[in-house]
Amino acid sequence: SKKILIIFLIICILGTSIILIKKGNNKDKNIKIGNNSSSQEIVEYILNISSYEAQIDVEVKSNKNSNKYKLKQKYINSQNNEQEVLEPSNIQGVKIIRENDKLKIENTQLSLTKIIENYQEITQNNLDLANFIENYKNNSNSKFKEEENQIVMETTVKTENKYQKYEKLYVSKKDGKPIKIEIKDTNQNTIIYIIYNEININTYNANLTHTNIRSEGYGNKKRRYVLC
């Protein structure tokens, strides 16, 4: 019986040790995104964005003309997101909604076919911040650099589309929020220009607020980010 008791105690000690080790390994580091954050910390924060709401100004250039839009974006995940047109007035209120790989349209008398024919650029996912993040992660040659009070994240898109080849995201070093995105063609001409007027990050994560952001899954690291 004494031998059984010793074996039982050893098992308990081993079990407790394993639990403590796992908790130690999974313990999140608290990182405040602000003036003292490193560029690497801010880049990791951006790459771990999972959802957001934003109001953006978009300019799309072509050989013939230039179209400007003011949009409200709600990105919950890759299968659930929407884009609402605030300007121009002739399509104000139009919502383009993606649900489980299906594209639908609301608040307009125009058909989806007509919207795609006349306003194709607002139906594409290249206006999403999440699209840039995915492209950045998928290219091992992606890089970033500091410019004054900004961090510039750059990547080359793996696509045959010659009009959307190079992408740059400008991020504020002060608060870690996106400032603008530039998408260029193979000749380095800016085709799409996006300005972030407002953005709330990780809005739809459970048990989180806008200022308490849990991000995980990039580079096998887990961190808790807090905007300050």
Side-chain angles (χ1 to χ4, degrees):
S1 60
K2 187 175 181 181
K3 187 176 181 181
I4 293 173
L5 180 60
I6 292 172
I7 293 173
F8 177 75
L9 289 173
I10 292 172
I11 291 171
C12 288
I13 292 168
L14 287 173
T16 304
S17 299
I18 291 170
I19 291 171
L20 290 174
I21 289 169
K22 284 186 175 180
K23 284 185 176 180
N25 288 340
N26 291 330
K27 189 177 182 181
D28 292 337
K29 297 178 181 178
N30 289 321
I31 298 177
K32 290 186 176 182
I33 300 300
N35 288 325
N36 296 323
S37 299
S38 69
S39 296
Q40 183 64 50
E41 288 170 348
I42 293 174
V43 168
E44 287 183 11
Y45 164 66
I46 292 293
L47 295 178
N48 280 291
I49 289 174
S50 60
S51 64
Y52 58 87
E53 286 184 346
Q55 286 196 20
I56 62 174
D57 288 334
V58 180
E59 183 175 5
V60 182
K61 296 180 181 179
S62 65
N63 293 330
K64 297 180 180 180
N65 55 23
S66 174
N67 295 320
K68 294 183 178 181
Y69 304 93
K70 188 179 290 290
L71 306 173
K72 182 179 180 180
Q73 295 179 323
K74 182 166 70 174
Y75 185 93
I76 299 174
N77 54 52
S78 60
Q79 300 298 314
N80 191 345
N81 53 82
E82 69 178 49
Q83 202 153 247
E84 180 181 354
V85 180
L86 303 179
E87 295 178 10
S89 58
N90 62 316
I91 55 170
Q92 184 179 23
V94 169
K95 285 186 178 181
I96 295 100
I97 301 170
R98 293 187 191 90
E99 289 182 350
N100 300 320
D101 294 326
K102 293 182 180 179
L103 193 67
K104 66 178 183 179
I105 188 170
E106 291 183 355
N107 300 344
T108 180
Q109 298 300 314
L110 296 174
S111 67
L112 180 58
T113 302
K114 286 294 183 183
I115 289 290
I116 292 175
E117 284 178 357
N118 299 306
Y119 308 101
Q120 183 181 10
E121 52 262 32
I122 64 172
T123 67
Q124 298 177 356
N125 64 358
N126 54 19
L127 301 183
D128 294 336
L129 175 61
N131 190 65
F132 171 87
I133 292 171
E134 182 180 358
N135 291 336
Y136 192 98
K137 287 181 178 181
N138 289 338
N139 190 335
S140 59
N141 293 320
S142 297
K143 58 186 179 180
F144 65 88
K145 61 183 178 181
E146 292 189 32
E147 286 185 359
E148 297 179 353
N149 295 319
Q150 300 177 130
I151 296 169
V152 184
M153 300 171 64
E154 303 178 56
T155 192
T156 301
V157 183
K158 295 181 179 180
T159 177
E160 298 300 320
N161 186 349
K162 65 179 182 179
Y163 297 107
Q164 296 171 23
K165 190 65 177 175
Y166 305 105
E167 295 183 339
K168 286 185 180 182
L169 170 65
Y170 294 78
V171 183
S172 169
K173 280 209 69 176
K174 181 180 179 181
D175 57 17
K177 290 187 176 184
I179 298 171
K180 62 182 179 180
I181 289 179
E182 295 174 349
I183 302 177
K184 299 184 177 185
D185 62 15
T186 52
N187 295 318
Q188 295 286 349
N189 298 312
T190 300
I191 302 300
I192 299 175
Y193 186 72
I194 301 169
I195 296 176
Y196 288 88
N197 298 317
E198 297 178 22
I199 185 165
N200 291 319
I201 294 171
N202 290 351
T203 315
Y204 297 97
N205 281 16
N207 302 319
L208 298 174
T209 67
H210 293 166
T211 57
N212 185 11
I213 301 170
R214 180 188 179 92
S215 301
E216 54 185 310
Y218 179 74
N220 296 321
K221 296 178 180 178
K222 294 185 179 180
R223 287 188 168 92
R224 184 182 301 276
Y225 294 91
V226 181
L227 288 176
C228 57

